[in-house]
Amino acid sequence: MFVLAAAAVALVAGAVASVAGFGIGSLLTPLFASRLGVQAAVVVVSVPHFAATVLRAWRLRASIDRTVLVRFGVASAAGGLAGALLHGRIHSPALGVVFGCLLVFAGLMGATGLSKKMRFGRRTAWLAGVVSGGFGGLVGNQGGIRSAALLGFDVSREAFVATGTAVGVVVDLARLPVYLATGWRDVARAWPLALATTASVLAGTLAGEKVLRRIPGARRLHVGALRFGFVKPIEIAPDDRVFVLTGAGISAESGVRTFRDAGGLWEQYRFEDVASPEAWVRDPALVWRFYSARRAQAKTVSPNAAHVALAELERALGDRLFLCTQNVDPLHERGGSRRVVHMHGELMKSRCERCDRPPFEDEALYETADAIARCACGGRIRPHIVWFGEVPMFLDDIARELAACTVFVTIGSSGAVYPAAGFVSRVRHARRVYVGPEEPDNARAFDEHRFGKATEVVPTLFSVRS
Ligand code: APR
């Protein structure tokens, strides 16, 4: 009977952990303790806890913030190991009281907004990791403290849960062998309970995920204060200047293909054949067919929530925002941005290959060599695009704004193409944030990563203080 009841609670605990990011230890440990005693409960709960945490971390692996995981996870593992070793030796009711107080403290920090004012430095992060892992090892429950400690890191909403879960796996890996070595008798005695609750938390985890998936994207981000309430927007103070660099990733959800992702443009074409001065000399019709296809597609796509959010930011900040894009599509403008610096040119403009006639709006599609329009000077009309081997535009303005900015944000760029990929290394004086679903090549130069898709992260990325 007790096993059945425990399995039912485990089902709920698995679902709660799917939504909230933690909860298995909090729900199961007191229940098991009522039957087995605290010491044995901690050991037995560690089995379903480990299984469910591994499952969740695996499902969320794309959103794990590896920098935070390393900073926080290593310390947590050390704490977890120390706590597990102590677990076998110390047995004091006073510990339960201390632990309870810490949980209340963690909850209060979140509820009062105190946590939002905190930013952990490297040393505090280590300490927070050791404390939360230590409690994990000692009293079997670390989720609440871990979450409170993780609040201090600037991670996106998705990354908060994913990284917290991955830290949970790391702590489990450290403490589980110690538990099993010292408490294998407890597990052996309670094996039906361990088995039934393991199966139940796994089922609960999957059920919880299904519930989450049913909630529409934007709403999903607000579900569960525990899961999502803690991630801080970037606060923009009245004297801040913001430099935003966007790449193909920001337009991906509008249906514009990126270059280097799976299925990206450079899988289908060689850039040397379609996007270089040599290609233009060799086969201008092929170059124009490539850009005509891009133009035809650009006519069919609309800006997404990330473009719109940046236009709103421009309205709030005026010229304290410098929006620089590597994209040649017109989606920032269509989203409402007025001052966009297209460092790689613009798809819907053309210019003369020979004379200084300024670039002009041109939506025409050119399919054959004969169809390519001519300038009055006799030169052929070429796309107003910066090809590989050519110098990007507006580099002086960009240099000035890089020097002046206090916040630097890159959204959806693989960090593979210079000079844009090197901008982040020129703004050591600024807060540097990367937004995108995976690490870019230049990831190490950023202070923070907000993992997620542009439309999920950008709309709530900034908070402007007046
Ligand atoms: N939201 C945010 N980022 C995304 C999304 C999304 N929904 N989808 C993909 N990304 C990210 C990918 O993870 C990748 O890091 O967008 C990036 C796209 O990388 P690239 O295709 O290399 O595009 P980009 O960095 O803009 O390319 C730079 O290279 O070919 C030249 O001139 C071209 O301007 C381009 C330059």
PDB file of all heavy atoms in Angstrom, residues 193-211:
ATOM      1  N   LEU A 193      10.184  -0.261  -3.401  1.00  0.00           N
ATOM      2  CA  LEU A 193       9.872   1.161  -3.324  1.00  0.00           C
ATOM      3  C   LEU A 193      10.737   1.942  -4.329  1.00  0.00           C
ATOM      4  O   LEU A 193      10.227   2.784  -5.086  1.00  0.00           O
ATOM      5  CB  LEU A 193      10.148   1.647  -1.897  1.00  0.00           C
ATOM      6  CG  LEU A 193       9.800   3.089  -1.581  1.00  0.00           C
ATOM      7  CD1 LEU A 193       8.306   3.318  -1.693  1.00  0.00           C
ATOM      8  CD2 LEU A 193      10.289   3.460  -0.167  1.00  0.00           C
ATOM      9  N   ALA A 194      12.033   1.635  -4.353  1.00  0.00           N
ATOM     10  CA  ALA A 194      12.956   2.343  -5.262  1.00  0.00           C
ATOM     11  C   ALA A 194      12.535   2.108  -6.714  1.00  0.00           C
ATOM     12  O   ALA A 194      12.495   3.040  -7.536  1.00  0.00           O
ATOM     13  CB  ALA A 194      14.392   1.865  -5.029  1.00  0.00           C
ATOM     14  N   LEU A 195      12.203   0.857  -7.009  1.00  0.00           N
ATOM     15  CA  LEU A 195      11.852   0.507  -8.400  1.00  0.00           C
ATOM     16  C   LEU A 195      10.554   1.190  -8.826  1.00  0.00           C
ATOM     17  O   LEU A 195      10.472   1.817  -9.895  1.00  0.00           O
ATOM     18  CB  LEU A 195      11.700  -1.015  -8.489  1.00  0.00           C
ATOM     19  CG  LEU A 195      11.783  -1.604  -9.892  1.00  0.00           C
ATOM     20  CD1 LEU A 195      13.204  -1.438 -10.431  1.00  0.00           C
ATOM     21  CD2 LEU A 195      11.401  -3.085  -9.874  1.00  0.00           C
ATOM     22  N   ALA A 196       9.519   1.070  -7.966  1.00  0.00           N
ATOM     23  CA  ALA A 196       8.202   1.628  -8.328  1.00  0.00           C
ATOM     24  C   ALA A 196       8.279   3.144  -8.478  1.00  0.00           C
ATOM     25  O   ALA A 196       7.725   3.727  -9.418  1.00  0.00           O
ATOM     26  CB  ALA A 196       7.173   1.265  -7.254  1.00  0.00           C
ATOM     27  N   THR A 197       8.999   3.799  -7.564  1.00  0.00           N
ATOM     28  CA  THR A 197       9.048   5.262  -7.645  1.00  0.00           C
ATOM     29  C   THR A 197       9.924   5.715  -8.810  1.00  0.00           C
ATOM     30  O   THR A 197       9.662   6.758  -9.407  1.00  0.00           O
ATOM     31  CB  THR A 197       9.542   5.889  -6.318  1.00  0.00           C
ATOM     32  OG1 THR A 197      10.721   5.214  -5.898  1.00  0.00           O
ATOM     33  CG2 THR A 197       8.485   5.787  -5.242  1.00  0.00           C
ATOM     34  N   THR A 198      10.934   4.915  -9.152  1.00  0.00           N
ATOM     35  CA  THR A 198      11.757   5.284 -10.311  1.00  0.00           C
ATOM     36  C   THR A 198      10.895   5.259 -11.571  1.00  0.00           C
ATOM     37  O   THR A 198      10.907   6.203 -12.373  1.00  0.00           O
ATOM     38  CB  THR A 198      12.964   4.323 -10.466  1.00  0.00           C
ATOM     39  OG1 THR A 198      13.755   4.421  -9.293  1.00  0.00           O
ATOM     40  CG2 THR A 198      13.806   4.688 -11.676  1.00  0.00           C
ATOM     41  N   ALA A 199      10.134   4.170 -11.746  1.00  0.00           N
ATOM     42  CA  ALA A 199       9.263   4.073 -12.922  1.00  0.00           C
ATOM     43  C   ALA A 199       8.263   5.232 -12.934  1.00  0.00           C
ATOM     44  O   ALA A 199       8.004   5.861 -13.971  1.00  0.00           O
ATOM     45  CB  ALA A 199       8.533   2.731 -12.927  1.00  0.00           C
ATOM     46  N   SER A 200       7.717   5.548 -11.758  1.00  0.00           N
ATOM     47  CA  SER A 200       6.695   6.604 -11.688  1.00  0.00           C
ATOM     48  C   SER A 200       7.268   7.982 -11.983  1.00  0.00           C
ATOM     49  O   SER A 200       6.653   8.769 -12.694  1.00  0.00           O
ATOM     50  CB  SER A 200       6.057   6.633 -10.302  1.00  0.00           C
ATOM     51  OG  SER A 200       5.236   5.533 -10.150  1.00  0.00           O
ATOM     52  N   VAL A 201       8.431   8.308 -11.419  1.00  0.00           N
ATOM     53  CA  VAL A 201       8.957   9.659 -11.692  1.00  0.00           C
ATOM     54  C   VAL A 201       9.301   9.809 -13.173  1.00  0.00           C
ATOM     55  O   VAL A 201       9.127  10.889 -13.744  1.00  0.00           O
ATOM     56  CB  VAL A 201      10.213  10.060 -10.862  1.00  0.00           C
ATOM     57  CG1 VAL A 201       9.874  10.350  -9.435  1.00  0.00           C
ATOM     58  CG2 VAL A 201      11.312   9.089 -10.976  1.00  0.00           C
ATOM     59  N   LEU A 202       9.754   8.703 -13.808  1.00  0.00           N
ATOM     60  CA  LEU A 202      10.068   8.801 -15.241  1.00  0.00           C
ATOM     61  C   LEU A 202       8.790   9.080 -16.035  1.00  0.00           C
ATOM     62  O   LEU A 202       8.751   9.953 -16.903  1.00  0.00           O
ATOM     63  CB  LEU A 202      10.753   7.523 -15.736  1.00  0.00           C
ATOM     64  CG  LEU A 202      12.184   7.309 -15.200  1.00  0.00           C
ATOM     65  CD1 LEU A 202      12.753   5.989 -15.692  1.00  0.00           C
ATOM     66  CD2 LEU A 202      13.102   8.459 -15.614  1.00  0.00           C
ATOM     67  N   ALA A 203       7.720   8.327 -15.680  1.00  0.00           N
ATOM     68  CA  ALA A 203       6.430   8.558 -16.366  1.00  0.00           C
ATOM     69  C   ALA A 203       5.946   9.976 -16.089  1.00  0.00           C
ATOM     70  O   ALA A 203       5.467  10.680 -16.986  1.00  0.00           O
ATOM     71  CB  ALA A 203       5.400   7.534 -15.891  1.00  0.00           C
ATOM     72  N   GLY A 204       6.080  10.420 -14.836  1.00  0.00           N
ATOM     73  CA  GLY A 204       5.650  11.772 -14.462  1.00  0.00           C
ATOM     74  C   GLY A 204       6.432  12.838 -15.215  1.00  0.00           C
ATOM     75  O   GLY A 204       5.875  13.851 -15.644  1.00  0.00           O
ATOM     76  N   THR A 205       7.721  12.593 -15.394  1.00  0.00           N
ATOM     77  CA  THR A 205       8.568  13.549 -16.119  1.00  0.00           C
ATOM     78  C   THR A 205       8.042  13.737 -17.536  1.00  0.00           C
ATOM     79  O   THR A 205       7.889  14.865 -18.023  1.00  0.00           O
ATOM     80  CB  THR A 205      10.023  13.018 -16.178  1.00  0.00           C
ATOM     81  OG1 THR A 205      10.481  12.844 -14.841  1.00  0.00           O
ATOM     82  CG2 THR A 205      10.931  13.987 -16.894  1.00  0.00           C
ATOM     83  N   LEU A 206       7.747  12.607 -18.191  1.00  0.00           N
ATOM     84  CA  LEU A 206       7.276  12.696 -19.581  1.00  0.00           C
ATOM     85  C   LEU A 206       5.891  13.348 -19.637  1.00  0.00           C
ATOM     86  O   LEU A 206       5.616  14.171 -20.515  1.00  0.00           O
ATOM     87  CB  LEU A 206       7.235  11.303 -20.222  1.00  0.00           C
ATOM     88  CG  LEU A 206       8.615  10.626 -20.306  1.00  0.00           C
ATOM     89  CD1 LEU A 206       8.492   9.222 -20.887  1.00  0.00           C
ATOM     90  CD2 LEU A 206       9.574  11.453 -21.162  1.00  0.00           C
ATOM     91  N   ALA A 207       5.050  13.020 -18.667  1.00  0.00           N
ATOM     92  CA  ALA A 207       3.706  13.624 -18.638  1.00  0.00           C
ATOM     93  C   ALA A 207       3.823  15.131 -18.434  1.00  0.00           C
ATOM     94  O   ALA A 207       3.131  15.922 -19.088  1.00  0.00           O
ATOM     95  CB  ALA A 207       2.868  12.995 -17.530  1.00  0.00           C
ATOM     96  N   GLY A 208       4.700  15.542 -17.522  1.00  0.00           N
ATOM     97  CA  GLY A 208       4.902  16.975 -17.246  1.00  0.00           C
ATOM     98  C   GLY A 208       5.350  17.712 -18.496  1.00  0.00           C
ATOM     99  O   GLY A 208       4.898  18.822 -18.787  1.00  0.00           O
ATOM    100  N   GLU A 209       6.235  17.069 -19.258  1.00  0.00           N
ATOM    101  CA  GLU A 209       6.701  17.694 -20.510  1.00  0.00           C
ATOM    102  C   GLU A 209       5.548  17.898 -21.483  1.00  0.00           C
ATOM    103  O   GLU A 209       5.455  18.920 -22.152  1.00  0.00           O
ATOM    104  CB  GLU A 209       7.729  16.785 -21.201  1.00  0.00           C
ATOM    105  CG  GLU A 209       9.124  17.009 -20.703  1.00  0.00           C
ATOM    106  CD  GLU A 209      10.107  16.119 -21.432  1.00  0.00           C
ATOM    107  OE1 GLU A 209       9.749  15.529 -22.480  1.00  0.00           O
ATOM    108  OE2 GLU A 209      11.233  16.000 -20.944  1.00  0.00           O
ATOM    109  N   LYS A 210       4.669  16.898 -21.534  1.00  0.00           N
ATOM    110  CA  LYS A 210       3.522  16.997 -22.455  1.00  0.00           C
ATOM    111  C   LYS A 210       2.648  18.188 -22.074  1.00  0.00           C
ATOM    112  O   LYS A 210       2.188  18.938 -22.920  1.00  0.00           O
ATOM    113  CB  LYS A 210       2.681  15.722 -22.385  1.00  0.00           C
ATOM    114  CG  LYS A 210       3.208  14.628 -23.261  1.00  0.00           C
ATOM    115  CD  LYS A 210       2.074  13.777 -23.838  1.00  0.00           C
ATOM    116  CE  LYS A 210       2.660  12.724 -24.743  1.00  0.00           C
ATOM    117  NZ  LYS A 210       2.742  11.412 -24.079  1.00  0.00           N
ATOM    118  N   VAL A 211       2.421  18.338 -20.776  1.00  0.00           N
ATOM    119  CA  VAL A 211       1.607  19.462 -20.301  1.00  0.00           C
ATOM    120  C   VAL A 211       2.256  20.774 -20.740  1.00  0.00           C
ATOM    121  O   VAL A 211       1.600  21.673 -21.269  1.00  0.00           O
ATOM    122  CB  VAL A 211       1.476  19.425 -18.757  1.00  0.00           C
ATOM    123  CG1 VAL A 211       0.824  20.689 -18.238  1.00  0.00           C
ATOM    124  CG2 VAL A 211       0.694  18.201 -18.331  1.00  0.00           C
TER     125      VAL A 211
END
